[in-house]
Amino acid sequence: MTDKTSYRGPARVFSGIQPTGNLHLGNYLGALKKFVDLQEGGWDGLYCVVDLHAITQPYEVSDLPEQTRQIAAAMLASGLSPEKSTIFVQSSVPAHVELAWIFNCVARMGWVEKMTQFKDKGGENSERVSLGLLAYPVLQAADILAYRATHVPVGEDQKQHLELSRNIASRFNQQFDAPGFFPEPEALIKGPGARIMSLKDGTKKMSKSDPSDLSRINLIDDADTIARKIKKAKTDLLGDMPVDVAGLEGRPEVENLVSIFGALSGQTAEQVLDEFGGKGFGAFKPALADVAVAHLAPITEAMRRYMADPGEIDRLLAAGANKAQAASEPVMKEVRKILGFWHAG
Ligand code: AMP
Ligand code: TRP
């Protein structure tokens, strides 16, 4: 849509990753790899370690600084460049919190109560979880819109949150008679890595919070661990690898391994099955382990190098925060004016 009410500013990418637990292959294929591809495609992008999101649920205070640096290290190790992109920590730029509060007054209760991730995380106990957990996707909208970002690379699980961001942007523009002020940010989800599943259960997504470490490949796993986890990955009793994509139907574990192979090697599922269809898992799994190790080992290695020099990470993050602060402030100045705050006029 390009009528006069739609946003006309420049295209810009924003995405965030929480500093909770170990990063895994799902985070890499669903998020980090896409960030790097967009950067290399020349997109202006901000990539944020979202620590304010991480405190919406119980966490270990003493682990947070290290976890925060670890996400930054993973971003850098995956290929994000502090020169080409803006890499920073959410809590170091005040606009996120300020705009989140404003959006709390724009979003409707009914919108946030519907969020499936809130229902999943809140579980039976939704009366007792923090108010922050309910407001979580509102803060996410603020992250994106404080920079008037137009595109948001994320995994499939974030689709509904992005829909909420669009609703908040559109309602803000209408409510305050500011047509086209905020863009309605578009989720960039497509691609073979959008939903990587657990290695132990092809119907559950690979997750930081799965109690079984065998369910995921962590970015800090060494080559032997990766090979062992792939060897132990669940398959099924339906025989060898199917000869074509139709044969993946009803075989979620096998389908997942094929999409991991494809995402890492830049091939479609058809191409993977052209090579491995009809072969046994005894042939496919070691090949998959080789591809995974070849792709991840340099990243793991670079991550370790960054983690060994926390001072350098901190320096890069401080420079990133300055860039992000400078990008958000003009937007916030206008927002304060639009809202009628007395000091902003
Ligand atoms: P989080 O760790 O929840 O902050 O997620 C960081 C990013 O990784 C988000 O863009 C998620 O959508 C993405 N992500 C998380 N798990 C997976 C998965 N199993 N498959 C694909 N993407 C994922
Ligand atoms: N909610 C996202 C996740 O769990 C993380 C996140 C926070 C995010 N703010 C964001 C992602 C802004 C994209 C844009 O993965």
Side-chain angles (χ1 to χ4, degrees):
M1 266 193 302
T2 47
D3 57 72
K4 63 178 179 308
T5 59
S6 54
Y7 180 71
R8 284 154 169 265
R12 176 179 264 179
V13 171
F14 184 100
S15 197
I17 298 186
Q18 299 189 70
T20 46
N22 284 333
L23 282 174
H24 52 71
L25 187 64
N27 299 126
Y28 177 69
L29 293 173
L32 289 163
K33 186 168 184 299
K34 285 192 211 151
F35 303 171
V36 176
D37 291 344
L38 287 162
Q39 171 185 275
E40 295 315 307
W43 288 70
D44 171 26
L46 295 107
Y47 301 99
C48 186
V49 187
V50 290
D51 52 353
L52 297 167
H53 279 101
I55 66 168
T56 55
Q57 287 191 292
Y59 71 103
E60 201 57 64
V61 170
S62 56
D63 289 345
L64 189 60
E66 164 107 355
Q67 302 258 30
T68 300
R69 290 191 189 98
Q70 200 176 105
I71 303 296
M75 287 177 170
L76 293 161
S78 303
L80 283 182
S81 137
E83 280 83 43
K84 294 184 195 162
S85 297
T86 302
I87 304 166
F88 71 107
V89 180
Q90 189 184 30
S91 63
S92 60
V93 180
H96 296 255
V97 173
E98 186 182 354
L99 191 58
W101 178 258
I102 293 166
F103 284 170
N104 278 340
C105 304
V106 171
R108 305 288 95 185
M109 281 295 280
W111 299 358
V112 286
E113 280 170 349
K114 241 184 21 205
M115 295 290 118
T116 53
Q117 211 163 75
F118 173 70
K119 292 195 227 164
D120 290 349
K121 288 187 186 170
E124 316 263 274
N125 244 349
S126 69
E127 303 257 305
R128 286 167 174 275
V129 297
S130 74
L131 180 54
L133 192 65
L134 182 65
Y136 177 113
V138 180
L139 175 60
Q140 182 163 350
D143 296 339
I144 300 163
L145 295 170
Y147 306 93
R148 300 213 267 195
T150 52
H151 293 80
V152 184
V154 278
E156 175 91 28
D157 58 352
Q158 295 302 308
K159 202 171 171 177
Q160 199 186 28
H161 286 166
L162 260 292
E163 211 38 60
L164 185 85
S165 294
R166 297 168 65 83
N167 290 340
I168 290 176
S170 143
R171 190 180 160 119
F172 178 99
N173 292 350
Q174 269 170 26
Q175 186 174 331
F176 295 103
D177 195 22
F181 180 75
F182 282 124
E184 290 182 34
E186 193 184 315
L188 301 176
I189 293 178
K190 283 201 189 64
R195 192 168 164 81
I196 300 296
M197 310 310 279
S198 157
L199 298 182
K200 287 283 150 198
D201 178 348
T203 63
K204 276 199 335 203
K205 72 170 184 175
M206 187 176 284
S207 154
K208 290 172 181 169
S209 56
D210 194 312
S212 165
D213 196 55
L214 285 176
S215 70
R216 65 184 159 259
I217 293 174
N218 301 304
L219 285 192
I220 50 164
D221 285 344
D222 60 27
D224 288 348
T225 309
I226 293 178
R228 188 168 51 84
K229 286 180 175 175
I230 290 177
K231 194 164 168 207
K232 294 196 166 184
K234 185 172 172 220
T235 50
D236 54 33
L237 301 172
L238 299 172
D240 292 338
M241 299 279 292
V243 291
D244 56 22
V245 176
L248 291 170
E249 184 76 33
R251 304 186 72 179
E253 283 83 13
V254 180
E255 184 176 11
N256 187 41
L257 296 180
V258 169
S259 39
I260 293 174
F261 195 108
L264 287 169
S265 63
Q267 288 177 284
T268 61
E270 284 88 357
Q271 289 168 321
V272 177
L273 291 177
D274 279 348
E275 187 177 348
F276 292 100
K279 295 194 180 152
F281 293 104
F284 178 63
K285 281 182 164 182
L288 175 58
D290 285 348
V291 170
V293 169
H295 201 94
L296 298 179
I299 297 172
T300 310
E301 164 66 26
M303 232 176 118
R304 294 218 165 100
R305 262 201 325 272
Y306 279 109
M307 286 308 285
D309 190 358
E312 171 69 357
I313 297 182
D314 292 352
R315 198 185 60 71
L316 294 173
L317 288 175
N322 285 336
K323 273 167 61 181
Q325 168 64 22
S328 63
E329 194 42 32
V331 181
M332 292 311 297
K333 273 212 168 81
E334 289 209 50
V335 167
R336 293 177 202 121
K337 236 190 270 175
I338 289 172
L339 286 159
F341 292 157
W342 72 271
H343 54 85

